[in-house]
Amino acid sequence: MTLGGGAATAMEMAGSARVLSIAVDGDVVDAAIAGVAWAPTAASGARSSIATIDVSGDTIDLTFDSTAGSALARLTAGGIPLRRPAVRGVDVPDRVFGSLDDADVSGAIPVDPVTTVEGMPFVGPAGLLVDYASFVADRPVYDNLFDTRVLMREGAPASMATELTRAGLTVETTLAAQQRVLDQGAYALALRLYAVVAVLVLLMALAGLFVSTAVQLPARRRDAAALRVVGVPRSSVMSAVAREFLVVLGGAAVAGILAGSLAQYVVLRTITLGTVDAISTPHLVAAISPLRLAALAALAVVVLGLAALFSASLTVRGARGSTLRESAR
C-alpha cells in the first residue's frame, strides 16, 4: 500500500491519515486491517514519510514527517520489519549498513544484523544473508541487479542436476573444490607439520616410558619378590604395581591434556590462521574440539592401562625368591 502523489510518486506530506477500510473493486475486504500487522516499508529511490504508525485497532493511523521532504508512505502487511534481520559476515564493515540505509541506492534495503558467521556460501565472510521471502515481498527484483544461484547438497537426485543443466545452469563450484583450495594453503600444510611433530613427540614419550620401565625392572622385581616371600599374593602385587603406574603416568597425562587445552584457548581464540585470495572462501579459523580432546583422553587411558598391565606382568613374572638370593650375593 502506497500513499503519495499520482501513480505512487513522491511528494511532500504533513499531518496525519487514517485508513478505515480496504476495498477491491468497491467491495470491502474483511479482516484486511486488524491482525494483518501492517508496517512501514522502504521505498526504492525515495524516503519514507511515516513518522509513527498505530495498527492496534481496526484502523491504520499514520503520522507524517514534515521534514522528510519529497517522500512516500509505503506499508506492507505481514509484520515484515523495515530493517530486515540479517546474518553478517565477519568481514562486512560497519559503513556498509549506512549505504544500505540510503534510499537513493537502487535495490538497497536497511538491515539489522542479528548474528555473525565466519563464512557463507558463495560470498564467504564478506556477505549478508537475508531471508528471500522478506526481501522480495514489497519490491520488484530486477535480473540485472541480482545473481541467482542454486545450492545443491551432496546426494541430490541426478535427474534434478540434469534438469538444472537443461535450464541453462552451470556448476560454479563445489564443496570438494573449496576444501581442496583450503587444503593446499600454507596454513593447512603448517597444521599437518604440527600434527607430524605431535605424533613424533608422543612416540618419543612412549619410547622413554619403555626405557624407564626396563631400567627400573630389576629393582621392582626385587621389591615384588620381597613382598611375595612374606606372603603377599601375586595378584595383590600385580594390582599394586599397575595402580602405581596408572596414578603416576595418568596424572601426568591429565596435566598434559589440561595444559595443552589451556594453551589452545589462550593462543587460538584470538587469532585467524589465514585467508585465501578469493572472497568466497571462508577464513581458516582455529577452534578447539571438545570431542577430539575427549577421544584423546580416552586413547591415553587405554594406552596407559595397557602399559601398566604389561609393566606389572613383567614385574611379577620375575619376582621369585631366587631374585633376592642373587641380590644378596
Side-chain angles (χ1 to χ4, degrees), residues 21-30:
S21 62
I22 298 177
V24 178
D25 295 334
D27 298 328
V28 176
V29 179
D30 297 331

PDB file of all heavy atoms in Angstrom, residues 21-30:
ATOM      1  N   SER A  21     -10.713   1.362   5.910  1.00  0.00           N
ATOM      2  CA  SER A  21     -11.027   0.065   5.314  1.00  0.00           C
ATOM      3  C   SER A  21     -10.267  -0.064   4.012  1.00  0.00           C
ATOM      4  O   SER A  21      -9.749   0.912   3.466  1.00  0.00           O
ATOM      5  CB  SER A  21     -12.534  -0.086   5.068  1.00  0.00           C
ATOM      6  OG  SER A  21     -12.977   0.906   4.135  1.00  0.00           O
ATOM      7  N   ILE A  22     -10.222  -1.269   3.522  1.00  0.00           N
ATOM      8  CA  ILE A  22      -9.572  -1.567   2.247  1.00  0.00           C
ATOM      9  C   ILE A  22     -10.591  -2.276   1.370  1.00  0.00           C
ATOM     10  O   ILE A  22     -11.181  -3.285   1.769  1.00  0.00           O
ATOM     11  CB  ILE A  22      -8.323  -2.453   2.445  1.00  0.00           C
ATOM     12  CG1 ILE A  22      -7.290  -1.712   3.302  1.00  0.00           C
ATOM     13  CG2 ILE A  22      -7.720  -2.849   1.108  1.00  0.00           C
ATOM     14  CD1 ILE A  22      -6.061  -2.532   3.615  1.00  0.00           C
ATOM     15  N   ALA A  23     -10.793  -1.732   0.157  1.00  0.00           N
ATOM     16  CA  ALA A  23     -11.791  -2.277  -0.758  1.00  0.00           C
ATOM     17  C   ALA A  23     -11.134  -2.631  -2.084  1.00  0.00           C
ATOM     18  O   ALA A  23     -10.185  -1.975  -2.520  1.00  0.00           O
ATOM     19  CB  ALA A  23     -12.920  -1.270  -0.987  1.00  0.00           C
ATOM     20  N   VAL A  24     -11.619  -3.684  -2.686  1.00  0.00           N
ATOM     21  CA  VAL A  24     -11.171  -4.120  -4.012  1.00  0.00           C
ATOM     22  C   VAL A  24     -12.381  -4.097  -4.934  1.00  0.00           C
ATOM     23  O   VAL A  24     -13.375  -4.812  -4.689  1.00  0.00           O
ATOM     24  CB  VAL A  24     -10.553  -5.532  -3.954  1.00  0.00           C
ATOM     25  CG1 VAL A  24     -10.152  -5.976  -5.359  1.00  0.00           C
ATOM     26  CG2 VAL A  24      -9.364  -5.557  -3.017  1.00  0.00           C
ATOM     27  N   ASP A  25     -12.313  -3.260  -5.979  1.00  0.00           N
ATOM     28  CA  ASP A  25     -13.433  -3.093  -6.920  1.00  0.00           C
ATOM     29  C   ASP A  25     -14.704  -2.718  -6.184  1.00  0.00           C
ATOM     30  O   ASP A  25     -15.814  -3.177  -6.525  1.00  0.00           O
ATOM     31  CB  ASP A  25     -13.648  -4.375  -7.726  1.00  0.00           C
ATOM     32  CG  ASP A  25     -12.471  -4.691  -8.630  1.00  0.00           C
ATOM     33  OD1 ASP A  25     -11.752  -3.741  -9.010  1.00  0.00           O
ATOM     34  OD2 ASP A  25     -12.249  -5.884  -8.935  1.00  0.00           O
ATOM     35  N   GLY A  26     -14.535  -1.898  -5.157  1.00  0.00           N
ATOM     36  CA  GLY A  26     -15.687  -1.409  -4.424  1.00  0.00           C
ATOM     37  C   GLY A  26     -16.171  -2.312  -3.307  1.00  0.00           C
ATOM     38  O   GLY A  26     -17.020  -1.905  -2.504  1.00  0.00           O
ATOM     39  N   ASP A  27     -15.659  -3.519  -3.214  1.00  0.00           N
ATOM     40  CA  ASP A  27     -16.064  -4.440  -2.158  1.00  0.00           C
ATOM     41  C   ASP A  27     -15.039  -4.415  -1.025  1.00  0.00           C
ATOM     42  O   ASP A  27     -13.837  -4.643  -1.238  1.00  0.00           O
ATOM     43  CB  ASP A  27     -16.189  -5.864  -2.700  1.00  0.00           C
ATOM     44  CG  ASP A  27     -17.258  -5.976  -3.767  1.00  0.00           C
ATOM     45  OD1 ASP A  27     -18.249  -5.234  -3.678  1.00  0.00           O
ATOM     46  OD2 ASP A  27     -17.079  -6.793  -4.694  1.00  0.00           O
ATOM     47  N   VAL A  28     -15.511  -4.116   0.184  1.00  0.00           N
ATOM     48  CA  VAL A  28     -14.634  -4.049   1.342  1.00  0.00           C
ATOM     49  C   VAL A  28     -14.117  -5.447   1.682  1.00  0.00           C
ATOM     50  O   VAL A  28     -14.888  -6.415   1.738  1.00  0.00           O
ATOM     51  CB  VAL A  28     -15.372  -3.449   2.552  1.00  0.00           C
ATOM     52  CG1 VAL A  28     -14.488  -3.475   3.798  1.00  0.00           C
ATOM     53  CG2 VAL A  28     -15.805  -2.018   2.242  1.00  0.00           C
ATOM     54  N   VAL A  29     -12.825  -5.543   1.893  1.00  0.00           N
ATOM     55  CA  VAL A  29     -12.191  -6.811   2.247  1.00  0.00           C
ATOM     56  C   VAL A  29     -12.184  -6.931   3.763  1.00  0.00           C
ATOM     57  O   VAL A  29     -11.583  -6.101   4.455  1.00  0.00           O
ATOM     58  CB  VAL A  29     -10.750  -6.898   1.699  1.00  0.00           C
ATOM     59  CG1 VAL A  29     -10.105  -8.219   2.097  1.00  0.00           C
ATOM     60  CG2 VAL A  29     -10.765  -6.727   0.182  1.00  0.00           C
ATOM     61  N   ASP A  30     -12.890  -7.923   4.262  1.00  0.00           N
ATOM     62  CA  ASP A  30     -12.931  -8.130   5.708  1.00  0.00           C
ATOM     63  C   ASP A  30     -11.571  -8.573   6.235  1.00  0.00           C
ATOM     64  O   ASP A  30     -10.835  -9.289   5.562  1.00  0.00           O
ATOM     65  CB  ASP A  30     -13.993  -9.182   6.056  1.00  0.00           C
ATOM     66  CG  ASP A  30     -15.398  -8.731   5.677  1.00  0.00           C
ATOM     67  OD1 ASP A  30     -15.635  -7.497   5.682  1.00  0.00           O
ATOM     68  OD2 ASP A  30     -16.226  -9.597   5.354  1.00  0.00           O
TER      69      ASP A  30
END
